[in-house]
């Protein structure tokens, strides 16, 4: 994998484990020669991922909608910073520029990005691994809910392995690199989205 899109929050929670996790992700990706594609902000976990990757000599590509440039305070120190018209174009560019996705702790926007990456995988828009970093057990309930959707039958058996989970970034990247692409429902193209 040459680049991974990192989905995370623009907030800074009180517990330092979340910022430390974001920094570890950015640093680890850079040390492994994997570029970071992310939301383009310099605040919260977004900024922590970007700064750590840049400090470790890594490539960092930010993708930020015009309307959020001022709100999220765009990170002008990125290797590349793309301003796009809206959120849909942002997520499409994340997908086009990356070889996989890693979701670390975040809020509603982070969940939107995660589920859209999984949905697009099911529909055949991409066949890339979608990683979930369960740092400090943050996603325990989400992992259980995903399993519940599988058990009930809302997620097809062929798609049960799209979400790749690990508690550590090194293990998660290793699993993502070993990912065997799933069989999509359709073979959608960008114009179909």
């Amino acid at each position: 994998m040459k680049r991974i899109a990192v989905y995370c929050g623009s907030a800074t929670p009180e517990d330092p484990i979340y910022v430390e996790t974001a920094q570890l992700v950015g640093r680890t990706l850079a040390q492994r020669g994997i570029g970071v594609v992310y939301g383009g902000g310099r605040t919260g976990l977004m900024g922590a991922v970007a700064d750590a990757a840049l400090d470790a000599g890594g490539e960092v590509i930010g993708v930020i909608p015009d309307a959020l440039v001022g709100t999220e305070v765009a990170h002008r120190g990125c290797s590349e910073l793309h301003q796009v018209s809206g959120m849909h174009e942002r997520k499409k560019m994340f997908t086009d520029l990356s070889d996989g996705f890693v979701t670390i702790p975040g809020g509603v926007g982070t969940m939107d990005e995660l589920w859209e990456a999984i949905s697009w995988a099911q529909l055949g828009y991409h066949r890339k691994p979608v990683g979930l970093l369960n740092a400090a057990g943050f996603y325990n309930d989400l992992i259980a809910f995903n399993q519940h959707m599988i058990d009930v039958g809302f997620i097809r058996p062929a798609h049960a392995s799209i979400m790749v989970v690990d508690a550590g970034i090194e293990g998660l990247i290793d699993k993502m690199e070993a990912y065997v692409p799933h069989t999509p429902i359709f073979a959608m193209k960008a114009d179909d989205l």
Side-chain angles (χ1 to χ4, degrees):
M1 290 187 292
K2 294 179 181 175
R3 292 182 182 145
I4 289 180
V6 178
Y7 297 146
C8 59
S10 60
T12 305
E14 286 186 32
D15 189 332
I17 189 67
Y18 300 112
V19 170
E20 291 166 6
T21 296
Q23 291 168 334
L24 179 62
V25 167
R27 187 170 49 252
T28 301
L29 290 173
Q31 289 169 346
R32 288 182 72 148
I34 301 171
V36 171
V37 179
Y38 85 115
R42 66 178 174 94
T43 60
L45 299 192
M46 275 195 210
V49 167
D51 289 340
L54 289 166
D55 289 347
E59 175 191 46
V60 176
I61 300 173
V63 183
I64 190 166
D66 295 328
L68 296 179
V69 170
T71 306
E72 289 190 38
V73 192
H75 195 307
R76 302 290 180 191
C78 293
S79 309
E80 296 176 27
L81 182 64
H82 299 271
Q83 283 187 228
V84 295
S85 61
M87 297 299 282
H88 179 75
E89 188 179 353
R90 181 193 217 183
K91 289 181 280 188
K92 182 183 176 308
M93 187 172 272
F94 287 155
T95 303
D96 292 345
L97 292 174
S98 69
D99 301 308
F101 313 87
V102 168
T103 300
I104 68 173
V108 173
T110 304
M111 291 299 90
D112 174 58
E113 292 164 342
L114 169 67
W115 291 117
E116 189 148 12
I118 292 171
S119 175
W120 286 7
Q122 290 177 332
L123 295 172
Y125 177 57
H126 72 79
R127 297 183 74 196
K128 303 171 183 181
V130 181
L132 183 70
L133 182 63
N134 190 27
F138 184 80
Y139 285 120
N140 285 346
D141 292 338
L142 183 92
I143 294 163
F145 180 65
N146 189 64
Q147 186 60 52
H148 178 65
M149 290 190 290
I150 293 166
D151 294 344
V152 169
F154 284 111
I155 295 177
R156 298 169 187 210
H159 300 150
S161 64
I162 289 174
M163 183 189 294
V164 179
V165 179
D166 202 282
I169 188 60
E170 293 280 1
L172 184 59
I173 294 169
D174 290 344
K175 287 179 180 178
M176 290 173 67
E177 288 177 338
Y179 178 74
V180 175
H182 57 281
T183 302
I185 298 171
F186 306 107
M188 294 183 72
K189 305 295 180 220
D191 291 343
D192 298 327
L193 298 175

